[in-house]
């Protein structure tokens, strides 16, 4: 990339919504349209402050546990996935559950069940307490132990070193995960890998473009919430790849003008649960401060789309049929 005397922005692409987030947000929106408010959502549907607040204004009620949902009500499970016991609790309370778990997280759940059925020890690489990790661990708690980064490797204990497999949280840093795997393999040479990559395509793509532009950036701004694992990782990836500074913000007004005061090149991207309008707000903020030369840097094209949860599609279809029948009788 040739240097320019003007202040410029390197705008990363892909950025923002991934297919799983798009599906989860649409699930709550469609549920509100179909059933009317309130629609209860267990945990944050996705880890983004703006998205959660917008859905709350439309009638979504966010709760921590099923016990907070009135019996017989509608509850949507978040994109991060839930343990089987959460589904059982919903049944016990006669809740109409709509599962908005990202299909890529579901894939990891399926892998966990399969390896547990074959009596493997499963090493789950991820961050303790993250909702996705809690959900995956709940699929086979007797077989799964958490490895929270390279520092957690020494605590690992397995029954049979020839029957061990690693899985991972989908939103991790690819590089840090592979560092952990490498360290695990030093201790457990027969450690098996998952049949396909667990780290989600969108997480990898967003990290890859950030790596590409980071060496040219005086500062990298990532739009995303602090509880968004993939957004936090993007800042870390940018700094590791050569950005002189990096910051995570939810909104443009959170940017400190001092961050860009001496900058010539600012990198800009957003986490996988961030709507595009928040990125445009940051571009406008930067333009007001002289960063008018915007160059979009693209490293991948994303075309994946996930269909809505079956239980919701079924009810939408029934509602359409009822509407058509009523119109025919009128």
């Amino acid at each position: 990339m040739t240097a320019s005397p003007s202040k410029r922005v390197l705008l990363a692409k892909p950025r923002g919504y991934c297919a799983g987030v798009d599906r989860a947000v649409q699930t709550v929106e469609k549920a509100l349209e179909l059933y009317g408010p309130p629609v209860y959502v267990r945990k944050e549907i996705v880890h983004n402050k703006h998205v959660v607040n917008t859905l709350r204004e439309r009638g979504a009620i966010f709760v921590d546990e099923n016990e907070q949902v009135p019996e017989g009500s509608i509850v949507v499970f978040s994109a991060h996935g839930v343990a089987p016991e959460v589904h059982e609790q919903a049944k016990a309370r006669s809740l109409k559950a709509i599962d908005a778990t990202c299909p890529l997280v579901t894939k990891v759940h399926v892998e966990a069940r399969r390896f547990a059925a074959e009596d493997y020890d499963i090493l789950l690489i991820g961050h303790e307490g993250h909702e996705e990790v809690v959900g995956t661990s709940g699929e086979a708690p007797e077989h799964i132990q958490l490895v929270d980064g390279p520092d957690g490797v020494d605590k690992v204990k397995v029954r049979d070193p020839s029957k061990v497999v690693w899985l991972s949280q989908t939103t991790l840093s690819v590089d840090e995960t592979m560092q952990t795997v490498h360290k695990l393999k030093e201790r457990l040479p027969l450690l098996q890998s998952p049949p396909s990559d667990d780290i989600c395509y969108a997480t990898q793509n967003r990290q890859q473009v950030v790596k590409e532009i980071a060496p040219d950036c005086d500062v990298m701004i990532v739009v995303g919430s602090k509880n968004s694992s993939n957004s936090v990782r993007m800042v870390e990836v940018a700094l590791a790849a050569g950005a002189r500074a990096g910051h995570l913000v939810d909104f443009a007004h959170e940017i400190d003008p001092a961050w860009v005061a001496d900058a010539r090149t600012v990198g800009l991207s957003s986490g996988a649960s961030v709507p595009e309008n928040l990125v445009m707000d940051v571009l406008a903020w930067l333009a007001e401060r002289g960063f008018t030369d915007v160059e979009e840097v693209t490293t991948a094209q994303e075309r994946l789309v996930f269909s809505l949860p079956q239980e919701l599609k079924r009810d939408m279809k029934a509602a359409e049929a009822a509407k058509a029948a009523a119109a025919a009788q009128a």
Side-chain angles (χ1 to χ4, degrees):
M1 294 171 198
T2 54
S4 164
S6 64
K7 292 181 175 183
R8 65 173 179 163
V9 179
L10 296 179
L11 179 61
K13 186 179 178 183
R15 61 182 176 273
Y17 271 13
C18 62
V21 164
D22 195 30
R23 173 183 187 262
V25 174
Q26 276 195 57
T27 296
V28 180
E29 290 172 343
K30 297 288 186 190
L32 285 164
E33 285 172 26
L34 185 60
Y35 309 113
V39 165
Y40 292 84
V41 183
R42 186 184 178 279
K43 308 291 187 186
E44 293 189 351
I45 186 68
V46 295
H47 286 157
N48 184 264
K49 196 185 288 185
H50 174 78
V51 170
V52 168
N53 288 340
T54 302
L55 292 171
R56 188 178 281 125
E57 285 165 12
R58 293 183 58 178
I61 297 176
F62 292 88
V63 298
D64 286 325
E65 298 300 341
N66 286 337
E67 288 73 28
Q68 296 165 267
V69 182
E71 289 202 13
S73 298
I74 292 153
V75 63
V76 178
F77 296 146
S78 82
H80 308 103
V82 296
E85 65 181 6
V86 175
H87 288 278
E88 293 305 317
Q89 291 164 0
K91 275 184 198 162
R93 294 183 61 77
S94 302
L95 302 180
K96 181 178 180 62
I98 299 170
D99 191 354
T101 300
C102 173
L104 299 177
V105 174
T106 300
K107 176 179 79 74
V108 181
H109 285 206
V110 170
E111 289 168 353
R113 291 196 297 270
R114 182 165 72 79
F115 284 111
E118 294 172 13
D119 203 30
Y120 274 75
D121 280 331
I122 301 165
L123 307 181
L124 177 60
I125 301 170
H127 296 303
E128 189 166 4
H130 189 278
E131 284 157 42
E132 186 186 324
V133 164
V134 172
T136 302
S137 299
E139 292 288 350
E142 306 82 17
H143 290 264
I144 292 176
Q145 54 187 300
L146 182 65
V147 185
D148 197 340
D151 295 342
V153 169
D154 295 336
K155 300 174 196 156
V156 167
K157 290 188 175 71
V158 300
R159 294 168 299 157
D160 179 353
S162 69
K163 283 199 81 171
V164 190
V165 65
W166 69 270
L167 303 177
S168 86
Q169 182 181 330
T170 62
T171 53
L172 298 181
S173 152
V174 179
D175 293 339
E176 187 186 343
T177 300
M178 294 324 293
Q179 283 170 23
T180 307
V181 170
H182 181 69
K183 203 169 171 186
L184 282 169
K185 283 188 171 173
E186 287 176 352
R187 279 197 59 198
L188 300 161
L190 299 176
L191 177 71
Q192 294 187 40
S193 299
S196 62
D197 203 341
D198 282 349
I199 295 176
C200 114
Y201 77 96
T203 298
Q204 293 187 52
N205 288 346
R206 280 150 191 70
Q207 289 176 13
Q208 186 54 45
V209 66
V210 161
K211 276 187 194 174
E212 182 96 5
I213 64 178
D216 293 324
C217 295
D218 299 307
V219 59
M220 173 71 72
I221 295 172
V222 175
V223 185
S225 294
K226 289 179 175 57
N227 64 338
S228 164
S229 176
N230 78 87
S231 301
V232 172
R233 300 291 87 72
M234 285 168 70
V235 177
E236 295 171 355
V237 165
L239 292 170
R244 263 70 81 196
H247 302 280
L248 182 67
V249 298
D250 265 298
F251 305 103
H253 66 77
E254 294 175 0
I255 302 171
D256 184 342
W259 296 346
V260 299
D262 299 319
R264 304 304 301 174
T265 301
V266 173
L268 177 59
S269 189
S270 60
S273 48
V274 177
E276 181 68 358
N277 62 302
L278 300 186
V279 178
M280 293 302 109
D281 289 346
V282 172
L283 271 184
W285 187 96
L286 289 167
E288 287 169 7
R289 286 153 185 83
F291 291 87
T292 51
D293 178 7
V294 179
E295 180 187 339
E296 191 166 57
V297 179
T298 305
T299 55
Q301 297 290 340
E302 293 181 351
R303 296 185 179 86
L304 186 62
V305 176
F306 293 134
S307 65
L308 292 169
Q310 286 299 326
E311 54 272 25
L312 181 60
K313 280 166 67 177
R314 195 166 50 242
D315 285 359
M316 287 168 68
K317 196 172 176 183
E320 282 297 317
K323 194 173 168 186
Q329 286 179 348

